[in-house]
């Protein structure tokens, strides 16, 4: 499997990048993998220019392609003002504008670093809603590392648990996608995992469910009004 780590750390060396690398090593330790780390600090100017011009520079475009093409994603941000950093959010903003489906169905492990344990809720009040909005599949365990957590066995345990969940989810989705492609014979959805779920207007195929194709309530209500 291929794993991409997106790190929004600003310093060198960066505890944010270190956490991402430890998560990637734990997730891929038992299986062959291609791991790439994307440092957003190196793309900050390109991201700002993308907002004003609407076009990504080659380095930014290549990074976004790597994220969209990865089997699994590990995202790590430092905590700024009790939330993710502006650089972190800006990258996923331009990615979403470029390709709204870039993270749909993709396994994502969320993580953050901060100076105090009191910011640990950033995982659930900021990062998890963001990636749910982008229709990623966020693993149950997020990892937060405060300054005093480094070297603590509790952090090691959280890293192992979250990384194991990412590896298991990535493997399960890959297997399901391969099985669906074999049944459907490939096609436009081959290798994307969509065939494993099925695409239909309404969201359900037998006992399978695809949240990407649920009919919005407003449309259902309008249909009822037109027939009533």
């Amino acid at each position: 499997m291929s794993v991409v780590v997106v790190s929004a750390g600003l310093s060198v060396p960066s505890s944010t990048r270190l956490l991402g690398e430890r998560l990637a090593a734990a997730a891929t330790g038992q299986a062959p993998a291609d791991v790439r780390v994307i440092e957003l600090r190196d793309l900050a100017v390109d991201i700002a220019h993308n907002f004003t011009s609407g076009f990504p520079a080659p380095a930014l475009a290549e990074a976004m392609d790597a994220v969209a093409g990865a089997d699994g994603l590990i995202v790590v941000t430092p905590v700024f003002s009790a939330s993710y950093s502006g650089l972190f959010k800006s990258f996923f903003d331009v990615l979403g504008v470029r390709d709204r489906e870039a993270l749909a169905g993709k396994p994502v492990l969320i993580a953050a670093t901060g100076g105090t344990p009191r910011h640990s809720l950033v995982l659930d009040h900021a990062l998890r809603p963001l990636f749910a909005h982008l229709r990623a599949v966020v693993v149950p365990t997020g990892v937060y590392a405060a300054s005093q957590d480094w070297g603590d066995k509790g952090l090691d345990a959280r890293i192992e648990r979250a990384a194991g969940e990412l590896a298991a989810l990535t493997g399960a989705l890959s297997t399901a996608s391969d099985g669906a492609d074999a049944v459907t014979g490939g096609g436009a959805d081959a290798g994307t995992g969509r065939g494993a779920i099925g695409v239909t207007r309404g969201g359900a195929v037998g006992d399978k469910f695809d949240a990407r194709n649920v009919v919005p309530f407003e449309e259902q209500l309008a249909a009822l009004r037109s027939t009533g």
Side-chain angles (χ1 to χ4, degrees), residues 19-108:
L19 180 58
E21 290 176 337
R22 288 185 60 181
L23 287 165
T28 62
Q30 302 301 320
D34 175 21
V35 178
R36 174 177 175 183
V37 179
I38 295 175
E39 288 268 24
L40 296 186
R41 65 187 299 274
D42 298 331
L43 300 171
V45 174
D46 290 343
I47 292 171
H49 286 169
N50 194 148
F51 276 113
T52 57
S53 70
F55 297 97
L60 177 58
E62 196 273 334
M64 291 192 289
D65 288 341
V67 168
D71 295 319
L73 191 62
I74 298 171
V75 298
V76 196
T77 178
V79 175
F80 286 179
S81 301
S83 188
Y84 38 64
S85 73
L87 178 60
F88 181 86
K89 179 62 160 54
S90 294
F91 174 76
F92 289 102
D93 282 344
V94 297
L95 176 64
V97 170
R98 185 174 189 244
D99 181 3
R100 294 180 59 188
E101 303 294 321
L103 299 186
K106 190 181 300 297
V108 175

Side-chain angles (χ1 to χ4, degrees), residues 22-213:
R22 288 185 60 181
L23 287 165
T28 62
Q30 302 301 320
D34 175 21
V35 178
R36 174 177 175 183
V37 179
I38 295 175
E39 288 268 24
L40 296 186
R41 65 187 299 274
D42 298 331
L43 300 171
V45 174
D46 290 343
I47 292 171
H49 286 169
N50 194 148
F51 276 113
T52 57
S53 70
F55 297 97
L60 177 58
E62 196 273 334
M64 291 192 289
D65 288 341
V67 168
D71 295 319
L73 191 62
I74 298 171
V75 298
V76 196
T77 178
V79 175
F80 286 179
S81 301
S83 188
Y84 38 64
S85 73
L87 178 60
F88 181 86
K89 179 62 160 54
S90 294
F91 174 76
F92 289 102
D93 282 344
V94 297
L95 176 64
V97 170
R98 185 174 189 244
D99 181 3
R100 294 180 59 188
E101 303 294 321
L103 299 186
K106 190 181 300 297
V108 175
L109 193 167
I110 56 174
T113 58
T116 170
R118 290 191 291 273
H119 287 309
S120 61
L121 288 177
V122 68
L123 296 172
D124 292 318
H125 79 69
L127 272 78
R128 198 173 295 277
L130 170 63
F131 289 96
H133 172 74
L134 296 172
R135 296 188 289 176
V137 181
V138 184
V139 303
T141 301
V143 179
Y144 178 81
S147 299
Q148 59 265 48
D149 288 330
W150 295 99
D152 185 87
K153 291 182 179 180
L155 177 60
D156 295 338
R158 293 196 301 275
I159 287 174
E160 290 295 330
R161 183 168 66 248
E165 291 169 356
L166 178 67
L169 182 58
T170 302
L173 290 179
S174 177
T175 300
S177 176
D178 291 343
D181 292 342
V183 172
T184 61
D189 292 332
T192 65
R194 295 176 186 171
I197 301 175
V199 177
T200 180
R201 190 64 171 170
V205 177
D207 60 349
K208 303 296 184 180
F209 181 78
D210 186 356
R212 295 169 296 182
N213 296 283

